[in-house]
Amino acid sequence: MLSVAVVGSGPSGVYTAQALLQQSLVPDVRVHVLDRLPTPYGLVRYGVAPDHEKIKSLQNSLRAVLEDDRVTFVGNVGVGGPDGVSPARLAELYHAVVYCVGASADRALSVPGEGLPGSYSATRFVSWYSAHPDSGADPFARDALEARSAVVIGVGNVAVDVARILARGAGELRRTDVPRAALGALERSRVRDVHIVGRRGPSRARFTTKELRELGALPGARVTVDPAELALDPAYAAPEEAPGTLPAVVRRNLEVLRGWSAGGAAGDASGAAVRRIRLRFFLRPVELLERAGRVAGVRFARTAPDGTGGVQDTGAYEDIEAGLVLRAVGYRGVELPGLPFDPVRGTVPHAAGRVLRDGSPSPGEYVAGWIKRGPTGVIGSNRSCAKETVASLLADAPALTRRRAADDPLAALRRSGLRPVEWDGWLSIERAEAELGRSLGRGPVKIPDWPGLLAAARDEDR
């Protein structure tokens, strides 16, 4: 039997488990999917926007893998931290360990004023409205949403997501699993102007057309784009003359923006817009401005195309007033104690998924997902990434299975003081969230804190 631990129960981890189940080279495989949280699904549960129900339904296919008899979900088990299990110990318990721990840190702007109250990462905002238990009593519920104007720095799907949540009415979010505190805070939000700002032109933005169009469909919101800023982009001004062939998604995005620049998109034509969403381009943040000890705005340097696909400063500046600033400029992998780490790339060094220690493959240690390749691609990209890693693992399997592994790794984890939450515990959490939702006249509502989740997990007779 080949005994494998997969660390992380998000898409990359579950796709790794699925690839192990679907292969035929090693007929007898047992997979333990470990997660620091007592809940499965990773960013599908805690990163996909609550109003993106179709994407969140991906949980159903992930669930089918985790319910396979050859797979055991092992939640509430951290790896690499002081209260968890070390990679060295996992290597003793299993024939192979695949680390699928993602890229949990956000990239900083590295500009003056970034640490002022009112300045946050989009990751933190997403975790708050997604009920991630690490968020706790976040200040978003107390003061951040008192601002009248918000600036979202970045032009990818995460930026569009957080802007949409800021602009969407709380009433529309009642049918989602947004936790009570976040829903109440969004209902009281005073944010009326949301600026989405990028340092380059619209042809270099990374949002998908579907996400972009959703902004224009928000009830009570109006989307505007500055025609002069669009015209700076050579691909926008004369797409037929742009060098090379523009990708289809870029052409579609430019068409949407062209329509908005003609007068804006109103999601509710019955009256005046309640909120305004302004897409801005060719603006690079250089400083967050302060007033009374809080963020009061962002100073941007005006940029322009440099002729080589990049941008250069023009010497002009513009200030945008804002009491809330959210940076959405990318993610970075975080070092896992006990594993090698490349601080420049934010990944674990590897060769086709095999972890490299001092340049050589480390027997039985593998990576998949963002910690392997960096924060690139969409959810589906993790499937091919996982398959490559599993192919390497299977090629190594004859040597790996000659090594000794624990007969009962879970018993060994419990003896070390850990209290794993298995699948029945997760099902108990699901039932508790359904009950909470019914008591509020809603569908299932997420439990947002560690004590609540663990109490629900232990109440398996619910």
Side-chain angles (χ1 to χ4, degrees):
M1 182 186 73
L2 175 65
S3 173
V4 181
V6 174
V7 181
S9 66
S12 62
V14 177
Y15 289 151
T16 297
Q18 184 180 53
L20 285 165
L21 299 182
Q22 291 177 341
Q23 56 81 33
S24 58
L25 293 175
V26 181
D28 192 5
V29 176
R30 296 292 182 270
V31 183
H32 285 182
V33 178
L34 281 60
D35 203 293
R36 183 178 68 87
L37 300 175
T39 57
Y41 310 136
L43 281 178
V44 177
R45 176 175 167 91
Y46 290 118
V48 174
D51 56 346
H52 275 177
E53 296 176 0
K54 184 175 181 180
I55 301 176
K56 289 180 77 68
S57 68
L58 175 64
Q59 291 183 11
N60 295 329
S61 61
L62 301 182
R63 185 189 196 99
V65 176
L66 294 174
E67 288 184 328
D68 190 285
D69 290 341
R70 295 165 291 177
V71 175
T72 301
F73 173 69
V74 187
N76 196 39
V77 172
V79 175
D83 299 323
V85 57
S86 69
R89 180 58 175 152
L90 285 181
E92 295 172 349
L93 297 176
Y94 298 90
H95 292 123
V97 184
V98 187
Y99 294 90
C100 307
V101 292
S104 57
D106 61 278
R107 291 185 180 276
L109 297 173
S110 300
V111 300
E114 187 172 10
L116 286 168
S119 167
Y120 306 99
S121 70
T123 304
R124 185 169 167 183
F125 185 43
V126 170
S127 293
W128 171 72
Y129 66 63
S130 297
H132 195 293
D134 288 346
S135 293
D138 204 285
F140 288 113
R142 296 196 300 272
D143 56 12
L145 299 179
E146 291 292 313
R148 299 285 297 183
S149 177
V151 167
V152 181
I153 299 174
V155 283
N157 281 344
V158 174
V160 173
D161 275 349
V162 299
R164 191 181 64 256
I165 295 299
L166 285 171
R168 187 181 284 285
E172 303 164 55
L173 292 172
R174 281 189 58 82
R175 60 182 175 82
T176 73
D177 58 7
V178 169
R180 284 180 292 178
L183 185 66
L186 290 166
E187 190 172 26
R188 297 186 298 272
S189 171
R190 299 180 61 194
V191 175
R192 293 298 177 266
D193 288 292
V194 182
H195 307 260
I196 305 175
V197 188
R199 65 184 178 90
R200 297 193 289 186
S203 67
R204 304 304 294 272
R206 297 196 174 188
F207 33 64
T208 60
T209 308
K210 179 180 181 294
E211 294 260 3
L212 191 61
R213 285 174 175 157
E214 285 179 343
L215 292 178
L218 291 175
R222 178 174 291 276
V223 184
T224 61
V225 189
D226 187 341
E229 290 178 353
L230 298 184
L232 287 173
D233 192 321
Y236 177 87
E240 68 281 357
E241 298 176 9
T245 302
L246 289 176
V249 64
V250 174
R251 294 198 302 271
R252 292 193 296 266
N253 286 348
L254 295 180
E255 290 171 5
V256 173
L257 294 172
R258 184 171 285 107
W260 289 349
S261 69
D268 184 356
S270 61
V274 176
R275 290 178 173 88
R276 291 171 293 275
I277 303 172
R278 307 167 191 260
L279 281 137
R280 304 294 308 276
F281 298 98
F282 294 110
L283 293 172
R284 181 178 66 84
V286 294
E287 182 183 2
L288 271 61
L289 306 175
E290 179 267 339
R291 184 169 58 242
R294 291 185 53 83
V295 163
V298 184
R299 177 159 294 161
F300 291 94
R302 167 65 66 185
T303 64
D306 64 3
T308 64
V311 293
Q312 58 189 359
D313 288 355
T314 65
Y317 295 87
E318 178 179 340
D319 293 351
I320 297 179
E321 181 179 344
L324 172 62
V325 177
L326 297 173
R327 64 180 182 273
V329 292
Y331 296 93
R332 278 187 58 81
V334 176
E335 182 175 5
L336 191 69
L339 279 187
F341 187 71
D342 181 344
V344 176
R345 295 174 54 85
T347 58
V348 171
H350 72 94
R354 295 180 177 92
V355 171
L356 299 178
R357 291 183 180 272
D358 298 322
S360 299
S362 177
E365 292 187 313
Y366 304 85
V367 285
W370 279 4
I371 198 64
K372 169 187 173 185
R373 68 181 192 276
T376 60
V378 295
I379 289 176
S381 306
N382 291 296
R383 194 183 298 273
S384 58
C385 177
K387 287 181 177 179
E388 179 191 53
T389 294
V390 168
S392 295
L393 190 159
L394 294 174
D396 301 339
L400 296 176
T401 52
R402 288 195 292 269
R403 300 166 51 192
R404 184 178 179 85
D407 294 331
D408 189 349
L410 285 186
L413 292 175
R414 291 191 183 95
R415 285 194 297 271
S416 68
L418 297 173
R419 298 189 64 194
V421 171
E422 296 183 57
W423 193 251
D424 284 346
W426 159 240
L427 295 180
S428 183
I429 292 173
E430 279 194 317
R431 290 190 292 270
E433 293 183 337
E435 290 175 10
L436 175 60
R438 281 193 295 271
S439 72
L440 300 172
R442 299 169 57 190
V445 172
K446 286 178 182 173
I447 297 171
D449 58 274
W450 277 98
L453 287 170
L454 293 176
R458 306 305 179 198
D459 187 9
E460 296 180 7
D461 295 328
R462 182 185 299 272

